[in-house]
Amino acid sequence: MTKSSTLTGPTLHRTVLKNGLVVLVTENPVADIVSARIFLRAGSSYESPEQAGLFSLLMALLTKGTTRLSSLEIAEAVESIGASLGSDASSDYSLISVKTVSADFPIMLKLAGEVLRSPSFPEAEVNLERRLTLQQIRSMQEQPFTVAYNHLRQGMYQSHPYGLPGIGTETSVAALTSEHLAQAHKQYFRPDNTVISIVGRIDPAQAISLVEEVFGDWPAPQEPLLEPEFPSVPVQGTRQAIPQDTNQSIVMVGYLAAPVKHPAYPVLKLINTYLGNGLSSRLFVEMREKRGLAYDVSAIYPTRLGLSQFVVYMGTAPENTPVALEGLRHEVERLCETPLTDEELQATKNKLLGQYALGKQTNAQIAQLNGWYEVLGLGTDFDQNFQTAIAAITAADAQAVAQEFFNQPYIALLGPASAIG
């Protein structure tokens, strides 16, 4: 079954193989390059607290050995043709990335298919990757921003999987074994849970034929794929103080926010751009340029299938901690009472839509976005619908969304005990 979409840019061809695997192809002949993204509908939000970091470790090990090839043989196969092959895990999905010249794409797709379908999780590689992950976790514990953010996230999400760092904890990662990895692979790596997005100098029919050749014999299990059941997240603001002998304080204020399929999502993206995106953003101008409080100041609103978070943060001199906290809360919560001006609204729309367009320039970026829309269940129309929604936002819309979400702050303060008490 094949469908085509031409809402924006080159035509996107969507095909579903008999085993349920979804193929997205966009022909872009400008450069002799093909980029592909292979998405799996499984990520850190599918993990239990006892196995936090499972998918991060699993994806890191996909390229470290298959039933036929060693880690070195995989690396040599990729580097001998100047291609790239990578893997990563996120909250709501995991992915494999491929980039190569057009003539070598069949070779790289076959290799990616083998890595995806037949990893061997060699014990020596598992032990090495686990040690490296534990070193990274310990290193992150020395980064004030990361420590503060981990505390804030845990306070906001509590027992929800989003509350845990995607890389896992020392306790959980130390307990992960090759058997855990193999079990997760068996459960979630299946064709009806996979999306392959291809963009570049390749004929769509040829690309679909190549995918059919590599993945068409991959049988879909008879048992249905179970969706994760997330615990509810009570909305009750908290305040945490993390004493640490640092040269600056990290001040964070978070609010639970809308998931990607919520009508408020585009409005919150616009507010995020207004408050914290770039040197012209409200937080940068008010808190750094005018008041001289901030070493660093910004806002975060990650795209999530489940309940997301809207976070503003600042690095400041310890003695400025109270006034920095008051300033951050004021700039966010004032939007509940004070609508954006026409000039502010239009300038923010222009910035957001301009940056959105610049994020779709390369084959890799387009392949990422197309596959991302599909794996999150947003549909091929999301690209155009999102831009249309942004253009239609009014000042009253922004104020109403601010009133809905910016009323229960979660606060995390990290710095010298005398400054954050």
Side-chain angles (χ1 to χ4, degrees):
M1 180 174 61
T2 302
K3 294 182 179 179
S4 298
S5 173
T6 56
L7 286 173
T8 58
T11 300
L12 170 64
H13 300 266
R14 182 182 186 275
T15 302
V16 182
L17 304 188
K18 291 179 180 179
N19 58 10
L21 187 148
V22 177
V23 188
L24 307 171
V25 186
T26 299
E27 184 176 9
N28 185 14
V30 175
D32 188 26
I33 297 292
V34 176
S35 290
R37 296 288 188 273
I38 304 176
F39 287 84
L40 280 301
R41 291 185 187 88
S44 60
S45 62
Y46 288 63
E47 300 166 352
S48 66
E50 296 75 24
Q51 292 190 350
L54 173 67
F55 280 96
S56 177
L57 188 64
L58 190 160
M59 296 308 293
L61 284 159
L62 280 189
T63 58
K64 303 302 182 183
T66 70
T67 53
R68 189 179 66 91
L69 298 172
S70 68
S71 174
L72 180 59
E73 287 171 329
I74 293 171
E76 288 177 342
V78 174
E79 293 172 7
S80 66
I81 56 175
S84 66
L85 175 68
S87 55
D88 197 10
S90 183
S91 296
D92 298 315
Y93 61 86
S94 300
L95 80 158
I96 294 174
S97 304
V98 175
K99 183 178 180 182
T100 182
V101 295
S102 305
D104 293 328
F105 181 66
I107 299 170
M108 284 303 300
L109 184 65
K110 184 177 179 181
L111 179 61
E114 182 171 351
V115 162
L116 176 72
R117 295 175 57 179
S118 307
S120 58
F121 305 118
E123 200 66 40
E125 296 287 354
V126 173
N127 292 337
L128 174 60
E129 197 63 42
R130 188 169 49 221
R131 286 199 303 271
L132 293 173
T133 302
L134 289 170
Q135 289 175 10
Q136 187 177 352
I137 292 172
R138 291 170 191 138
S139 174
M140 290 168 64
Q141 292 168 355
E142 299 174 0
Q143 300 168 16
F145 176 90
T146 302
V147 173
Y149 184 60
N150 284 345
H151 275 80
L152 179 73
R153 183 176 52 203
Q154 180 64 54
M156 295 177 75
Y157 285 110
Q158 300 183 41
S159 60
H160 191 288
Y162 285 170
L164 292 166
I167 195 175
T169 65
E170 283 193 78
T171 301
S172 65
V173 171
L176 291 174
T177 66
S178 54
E179 288 75 19
H180 293 133
L181 302 174
Q183 178 58 38
H185 182 270
K186 180 181 179 182
Q187 182 174 356
Y188 293 106
F189 284 57
R190 43 192 282 174
D192 53 351
N193 200 37
T194 303
V195 175
I196 299 181
S197 176
I198 302 168
V199 179
R201 185 177 290 181
I202 189 168
D203 175 71
Q206 179 195 4
I208 294 166
S209 177
L210 285 170
V211 174
E212 181 77 59
E213 180 183 331
V214 176
F215 296 95
D217 64 344
W218 191 10
Q222 291 187 345
E223 61 272 14
L225 187 68
L226 297 178
E227 295 290 331
E229 295 184 6
F230 297 139
S232 60
V233 179
V235 181
Q236 48 185 30
T238 60
R239 180 182 175 123
Q240 301 179 72
I242 307 110
Q244 198 171 102
D245 189 18
T246 55
N247 294 326
Q248 65 172 303
S249 290
I250 305 297
V251 181
M252 290 189 172
V253 183
Y255 306 82
L256 291 170
V260 65
K261 294 183 180 180
H262 192 286
Y265 172 78
V267 184
L268 284 167
K269 278 296 183 187
L270 180 129
I271 293 174
N272 179 72
T273 300
Y274 168 73
L275 282 175
N277 192 329
L279 305 184
S280 63
S281 67
R282 173 81 185 190
L283 288 176
F284 191 92
V285 171
E286 293 295 322
M287 306 302 289
R288 180 181 168 99
E289 296 299 299
K290 291 185 179 180
R291 301 179 66 178
L293 290 174
Y295 301 134
D296 180 32
V297 62
S298 193
I300 306 169
Y301 173 47
T303 298
R304 294 284 182 267
L305 268 178
L307 197 62
S308 189
Q309 57 180 169
F310 192 102
V311 178
V312 292
Y313 65 88
M314 183 193 306
T316 190
E319 62 270 19
N320 292 332
T321 301
V323 70
L325 173 59
E326 182 277 330
L328 283 178
R329 286 195 60 182
H330 171 75
E331 290 302 335
V332 176
E333 294 170 15
R334 67 179 280 277
L335 297 176
C336 299
E337 306 298 332
T338 306
L340 298 178
T341 66
D342 291 342
E343 291 77 15
E344 289 174 328
L345 183 63
Q346 192 57 53
T348 305
K349 288 181 180 181
N350 293 342
K351 180 195 289 188
L352 176 55
L353 291 174
Q355 292 176 342
Y356 185 74
L358 289 174
K360 302 186 295 179
Q361 297 303 297
T362 68
N363 290 340
Q365 289 173 327
I366 299 169
Q368 176 73 25
L369 284 174
N370 288 347
W372 185 64
Y373 301 149
E374 179 70 33
V375 82
L376 294 184
L378 303 175
T380 56
D381 295 343
F382 180 82
D383 179 75
Q384 183 60 45
N385 292 342
F386 176 75
Q387 296 175 77
T388 301
I390 293 296
I393 293 171
T394 65
D397 294 333
Q399 185 175 4
V401 167
Q403 291 170 348
E404 180 178 357
F405 291 100
F406 299 154
N407 47 54
Q408 286 284 348
Y410 294 77
I411 297 167
L413 306 175
L414 182 147
S418 59
I420 65 175

